Amino acid sequence: MTDAEIFLKNLNEHRETAAKMDVLARSVAEAGSLIRETLANGGRVMFCGNGGSAADAQHLAAELSGRYLKNRSPLAGMALHCDTSALTAIANDFSFDEIYSRQVKAHGRKGDLLVGISTSGNSKNVLNAMLAARELEMKTIAMTGESGGKMAEIADVLLNVPSSFTPRIQEMHILIGHTLCEAAEKDF
C-alpha cells in the first residue's frame, strides 16, 4: 500500500466515524452546559488521560486557559499530568494507578469538573480519578470509545465515540473537545 493509499484509507475511516457522530449531539450539549456552569460558578475543569489522551487533555486545558476562538479572560482548565514532580512522586511512592486520583483529592473541590479521556474507558488511573471526583461531589465527563468501558458506569456525561479503533476515536475526541471549548467560551 502506498503512502497516498494509506492516507485515503484513513481519511475514509475518519469520514465513516464522523458520519456516526450525530448520536452524541445531546450528550455533547449536556457536557458543554456542565463546563459552562462549572466555570461560571468559579469552578475548575480538570483533564486527565494517558498517552495520546494525555496530549488531548493538555491541548483542551490550554484552549481554556489561553483561548480557543476569541480573546477573553482565561478560564480555569488544567491537565493533571503536567506537574511531572507530582506525577513521578505519586507513581513512585504509591502507584501509577493513583497519579490522577491523588491530585484530584489534593486540588479538586465540590463545584469542579473532571474530564477523563480514555479510548477504552478502562484506564485504571483515569477511572480512579473519576471515582475520587465523585467522592468530592465533582461532576465528571468521560470521553471514551464505543463501549464506554467502566467509565460509562460512573460518569455524569458519557461521550462515547461510535468506534473501537483508537486513532479514529482520538480524532473524534478532538472534535468533541473543540466543540466543548467553543461552547465554554461563548459565555465569557
Side-chain angles (χ1 to χ4, degrees):
M1 189 177 284
T2 68
D3 293 347
E5 290 170 331
I6 292 169
F7 172 71
L8 292 173
K9 173 188 69 70
N10 289 342
L11 184 59
N12 188 52
E13 290 172 358
H14 177 89
R15 288 179 180 137
E16 289 172 359
T17 304
K20 300 181 213 171
M21 289 292 290
D22 32 350
V23 300
L24 294 179
R26 179 173 287 184
S27 296
V28 170
E30 187 178 350
S33 293
L34 265 182
I35 290 173
R36 275 195 314 280
E37 178 182 313
T38 297
L39 294 168
N41 292 326
R44 292 173 290 187
V45 181
M46 299 176 186
F47 296 87
C48 64
N50 299 298
S53 296
D56 291 347
Q58 188 170 348
H59 176 164
L60 298 174
E63 300 285 24
L64 292 179
S65 62
R67 74 175 184 127
Y68 177 61
L69 291 176
K70 65 181 190 175
N71 290 327
R72 39 117 177 114
S73 296
L75 303 173
M78 62 187 286
L80 295 177
H81 68 280
C82 291
D83 183 345
T84 55
S85 295
L87 198 75
T88 55
I90 294 166
N92 184 63
D93 295 347
F94 298 95
S95 107
F96 191 75
D97 290 346
E98 294 186 51
I99 60 170
Y100 297 135
S101 59
R102 290 190 69 85
Q103 290 186 75
V104 167
K105 290 175 183 176
H107 305 295
R109 303 288 178 265
K110 182 177 180 176
D112 289 343
L113 172 67
L114 177 69
V115 180
I117 308 173
S118 168
T119 59
S120 69
N122 293 317
S123 299
K124 185 72 172 167
N125 56 1
V126 178
L127 188 60
N128 286 343
M130 293 187 70
L131 291 169
R134 304 256 327 159
E135 288 174 21
L136 295 171
E137 299 181 47
M138 293 170 56
K139 296 291 185 183
T140 59
I141 296 171
M143 294 173 63
T144 70
E146 192 162 29
S147 77
K150 293 177 181 173
M151 289 168 57
E153 301 167 16
I154 60 170
D156 291 301
V157 178
L158 175 64
L159 302 172
N160 56 325
V161 172
S163 175
S164 58
F165 190 44
T166 297
R168 302 300 84 87
I169 296 167
Q170 290 177 328
E171 290 162 7
M172 296 305 119
H173 280 174
I174 285 299
L175 172 65
I176 292 167
H178 279 163
T179 301
L180 296 176
C181 290
E182 186 172 350
E185 77 176 12
K186 75 180 185 180
D187 289 347
F188 294 92

